[in-house]
Every structure is written in structure tokens, then in C-alpha cells.
Amino acid sequence: MYKKLKLLTLILLSLSVYFIYNKENKNNLIYITIGDSLSLGENSYGGINYGYSDYFKDYLKKENKLLVYNKSYTSKTKTITELYNDLLVDEVITIDTENYNIRRLLSDADIVSISIGLNDIILEANKEKYLTEYKEDRIIKNIIDKYKILIKEIKKYYKKEIYIIGYYENNTKYDEMLKKINKKYKKLAGEQNDIFIDTEFLSNNNKYFDNPDSYYPNNLAYKEISRKIIEEYKKKNE
């Protein structure tokens, strides 16, 4: 009886140590961000500073949860089609002698955020001499069709919810299309159990833009976007 009690005590102590260790050592999350200039962190003057993903990365690191952060598959000009092609060919990028391929990164990831579609709107809109409501709706439909295919491809490798970062308006000729694409993205995120991050609060608010001639925001705006991501992350994980 004594031996059995001693064995049970040892098992309970071992389990306690195991759970305490795992509670204190949470730095095992892999966070990947993919997409366009907003994910990269383009500022109001075309330079690259901290984006929302960098601030979210800092939060995870501060909370002792981060193992890997990767933003290799972001670029200023990234479109839905380009990102989709990256997946099809399993694009490899070398950084500091290390090779990263996108499918493996997504398969290993615990958190993925994406902002994509802005460059598609700009490219398609600039092909038109005059933008009518009909042309805008046609452009948005084509973009959404491509976007659905992209998300489906991503989810072949990444099985958890995606943080979909919405767009905002800033007195550009693309504002109406940005409103429309946001509604579509939000609806699709709800249908696919993804998380839509609404950035409408930035729209036409001077405190978030240092250059009135640029669509891209300042650091304060990126911090606010990351705050919304953190809020949603906490709802899911705390």
C-alpha cells in the first residue's frame, strides 16, 4: 500500500512539474504574415517602418509566446495572383543563408495574418479611363473570385483561422471599391471561421496619416490595427 501511495505521489508531482513547465514556457508560436504593403509596414512616404504585424509580433514576444516570426512573403506590390502563384510553385526565399518555402511555413504556422487586394484594385482601376459603378462592381467580383481561390489554397496547408486585415478609405478614387471589398472580405471571413480585422476607424482621420497624398498610414495607425488583432487573439486564446 505504501509503495502504491509513493508511486501515485511521484506521478502527481511529475504531472505538476509538466503543467507548470508548459505554462511558463509558451514561446512556441510561429507567426507568419503575408500580403501587401500594409502587412510589410509601408509608411506615408514610401519607406518601410513597423507594420501591424511587427507590433503584434512584439506583443507575442513580450508575452513569452513567440518562437518564429516571418514576413518574407510580403511586398509593396504583392497581388492576389502573385501570392497564389507563390503557393502553386512553393516559392523559396533565402534570408541570411536560411531557405524558407511558403507551404512549409504555412503548415508549421500557429498564426497567420494577411492583407491582400489593394494592389489588385489599383491595377484594375488604372486600366479604366472612367470608373462607373458597373465597372467597379465588375472589378470587385473578379478580385473576390481570385481571393476565394487564394484562401482555399492557403487552407490546404494552414488549418486554423486567418486574421484578415481590412482596408480603409483615405480620399482616393479607390474608396468606393475599398468599401465594397471590405464588406465581401468580412462576409467571407464569417463564413470560413476566419477573423476579420476592421480598419474603418482609420478612414479619413488626419491623425493616422502624415502625408495627405498617400494611402499609407503612420505608426500610430499600425499600432491601432495591431491592438485590434491582439484583442481578437485574446478572445480566442485567453
Side-chain angles (χ1 to χ4, degrees), residues 117-178:
L118 174 63
N119 290 321
D120 300 78
I121 286 177
I122 293 171
L123 285 170
E124 293 302 317
N126 288 346
K127 292 177 183 177
E128 303 290 343
K129 189 172 183 180
Y130 301 104
L131 273 176
T132 63
E133 185 175 355
Y134 169 78
K135 288 179 179 179
E136 288 181 354
D137 289 342
R138 187 192 66 202
I139 289 170
I140 293 302
K141 183 183 183 304
N142 289 339
I143 290 173
I144 291 299
D145 287 345
K146 291 188 292 183
Y147 175 80
K148 287 178 181 178
I149 295 170
L150 170 66
I151 296 299
K152 184 178 180 181
E153 189 68 20
I154 289 172
K155 291 195 172 188
K156 288 181 181 178
Y157 313 101
Y158 175 75
K159 305 301 183 182
K160 300 179 182 179
E161 66 275 357
I162 304 171
Y163 289 78
I164 311 291
I165 314 302
Y167 292 107
Y168 49 86
E169 300 94 64
N170 191 35
N171 295 313
T172 71
K173 66 179 182 179
Y174 316 112
D175 281 359
E176 286 304 313
M177 283 186 287
L178 289 168

Side-chain angles (χ1 to χ4, degrees), residues 31-43:
Y31 170 39
I32 309 300
T33 189
I34 53 181
D36 60 22
S37 300
L38 292 182
S39 184
L40 187 61
E42 182 171 350
N43 63 28

Side-chain angles (χ1 to χ4, degrees), residues 23-144:
K23 185 177 180 181
E24 296 300 322
N25 291 270
K26 298 177 181 177
N27 57 334
N28 59 349
L29 296 181
I30 297 174
Y31 170 39
I32 309 300
T33 189
I34 53 181
D36 60 22
S37 300
L38 292 182
S39 184
L40 187 61
E42 182 171 350
N43 63 28
S44 298
Y45 296 97
I48 303 301
N49 286 340
Y50 250 48
Y52 62 76
S53 58
D54 297 296
Y55 288 112
F56 183 45
K57 173 263 296 181
D58 286 347
Y59 162 77
L60 294 173
K61 191 173 182 180
K62 182 180 178 182
E63 294 295 309
N64 193 33
K65 296 179 179 180
L66 186 69
L67 178 64
V68 173
Y69 166 61
N70 192 295
K71 61 191 294 186
S72 303
Y73 291 92
T74 60
S75 75
K76 283 189 175 187
T77 59
K78 186 75 74 176
T79 64
I80 293 171
T81 300
E82 287 174 359
L83 188 53
Y84 178 66
N85 288 337
D86 287 346
L87 283 159
L88 288 186
V89 302
D90 202 14
E91 181 75 13
V92 177
I93 291 178
T94 303
I95 300 176
D96 297 329
T97 72
E98 292 289 331
N99 290 333
Y100 299 91
N101 69 303
I102 190 167
R103 291 183 191 172
R104 178 61 185 271
L105 281 173
L106 289 172
S107 295
D108 291 344
D110 299 288
I111 306 170
V112 169
S113 62
I114 182 173
S115 54
I116 198 76
L118 174 63
N119 290 321
D120 300 78
I121 286 177
I122 293 171
L123 285 170
E124 293 302 317
N126 288 346
K127 292 177 183 177
E128 303 290 343
K129 189 172 183 180
Y130 301 104
L131 273 176
T132 63
E133 185 175 355
Y134 169 78
K135 288 179 179 179
E136 288 181 354
D137 289 342
R138 187 192 66 202
I139 289 170
I140 293 302
K141 183 183 183 304
N142 289 339
I143 290 173
I144 291 299

